[in-house]
Amino acid sequence: MISVQDVYVTYEKRTPALRGVTLDFHEGEFVGVIGLSGSGKSTLLKTLNRLVSPSEGRVIVEGKDLSRLSFKELRDIRRGIGFVFQEFNLVDRSSVLENVLIGRLGYQSSVKSFFGIFKEGDYRLAEEALETVGLGEKIFERGDRLSGGQKQRVAIAKTLAQEPRVILADEPVASLDQNSGKVVMDTFKRIQEKHGISIIVNLHDVKIARAYCDRLVGLKDGKILFDQRTKEISDED
Ligand code: ADP
Ligand code: ADP
C-alpha cells in the first residue's frame, strides 16, 4: 500500500534525519514506529503524505510515486491518508461537530459560505465518526471544553470523516495522561479492527507500542534498527 524506498531526508545542511530507509506498509496493519526523540520518526511519517519531501529515494502510495504527482493527484492521495498530531490541532472555539466537519472540506463541488457547504451526507459521516470515537454525546460541546483525551478523539474523528485508508499519528498520546492515552490507543485499535483502516503511529513509549501494535519498526539516528512482528519480539529484547 505504501512503499518507502531508500529514502534520505536532509533538512537544510544538517545531518540527514533519515538515512536510507526502506520499508513497506500493508493494508489493515497497526504499525508502531518507535525510537528516541530525534531518531526520525516524525520525519518518516511526514514523508508518507509528502508533508516532507525526500532528498533521495522514493515513496510510492498505491502504485504512485509521490514526487511525480500533480497538485490535484497529491490532494486525492492525501484525502486517503489521515494525519493526527500530538497537539490535537482543533479549533477551540468551534463545536466538536464543526471540528469534525472540517475533515469533509474539499469534498464539495463548490465552496460557497463556510458552513453552508456541507451536505446531509457530510453531517452523517461526521456524526458516525464521533460515535466511533465514543463522543456521540458531545457533538455540540465547544472544543476547548474537552479534556486532552477527548480532544485527541475529536481529531481522530476529523480524519475518519475523510474516509481514509490509513491514519498516520505522530505521538498522539505523548501529551496525555496514562488513562486518556489508553482510551486514545483503544480508539485506534477499534478503528483498525472494525473499519480495516491501517494505523501507523509514532510512539516513544515501548510498552504502549507492544500492547497495541502488530508490528514494530525501530528507528535510530535516521536508520531502521529493527522491523518485526510484535509477537516475535521476546521480553529480553
Ligand atoms: P523524532 O520524531 O523521532 O523526534 P524528527 O523526525 O522530529 O525525529 O527529527 C529527526 C531530526 O531532524 C532531528 O535532529 C530534528 O532536529 C531534525 N528536524 C526535524 N524537523 C526539522 C526541520 N523542520 N528542520 C530542521 N531539522 C529538523
Ligand atoms: P516531534 O513531534 O517529532 O518531537 P517537534 O515537536 O520536535 O516534533 O517539532 C515540531 C515541529 O518542528 C515539527 O514540524 C518538526 O518538523 C519541526 N522541527 C523539529 N526539529 C526542528 C529543527 N531542529 N529545526 C526546525 N524545525 C524543527
Side-chain angles (χ1 to χ4, degrees), residues 11-12 14 37 42 46 86 170-171:
Y11 294 105
E12 291 129 34
R14 298 154 52 102
S37 179
S42 183
K46 289 173 189 164
Q86 179 177 337
D170 195 1
E171 299 278 4

Side-chain angles (χ1 to χ4, degrees), residues 158-169:
K158 178 167 113 185
T159 69
L160 272 181
Q162 258 175 262
E163 302 188 285
R165 284 179 291 277
V166 44
I167 294 178
L168 312 176

Side-chain angles (χ1 to χ4, degrees), residues 1-2 27 48-49 61-62 73-83 103 107 159-160 162-168 197-198:
M1 189 179 59
I2 301 180
E27 195 103 30
L48 305 183
N49 68 350
V61 178
E62 292 174 0
E73 288 171 314
L74 184 61
R75 189 191 62 193
D76 289 343
I77 290 269
R78 281 183 174 153
R79 278 182 186 165
I81 305 178
F83 205 103
Y107 285 76
T159 69
L160 272 181
Q162 258 175 262
E163 302 188 285
R165 284 179 291 277
V166 44
I167 294 178
L168 312 176
I197 295 172
S198 313

Side-chain angles (χ1 to χ4, degrees), residues 95-97 130 134-142 145-146 150 154:
S95 73
V96 164
L97 181 63
L130 282 163
L135 292 174
E137 309 286 298
K138 297 266 182 209
I139 60 174
F140 299 119
E141 196 83 63
R142 256 173 60 156
R145 297 269 169 76
L146 303 177
Q150 290 172 333
V154 174

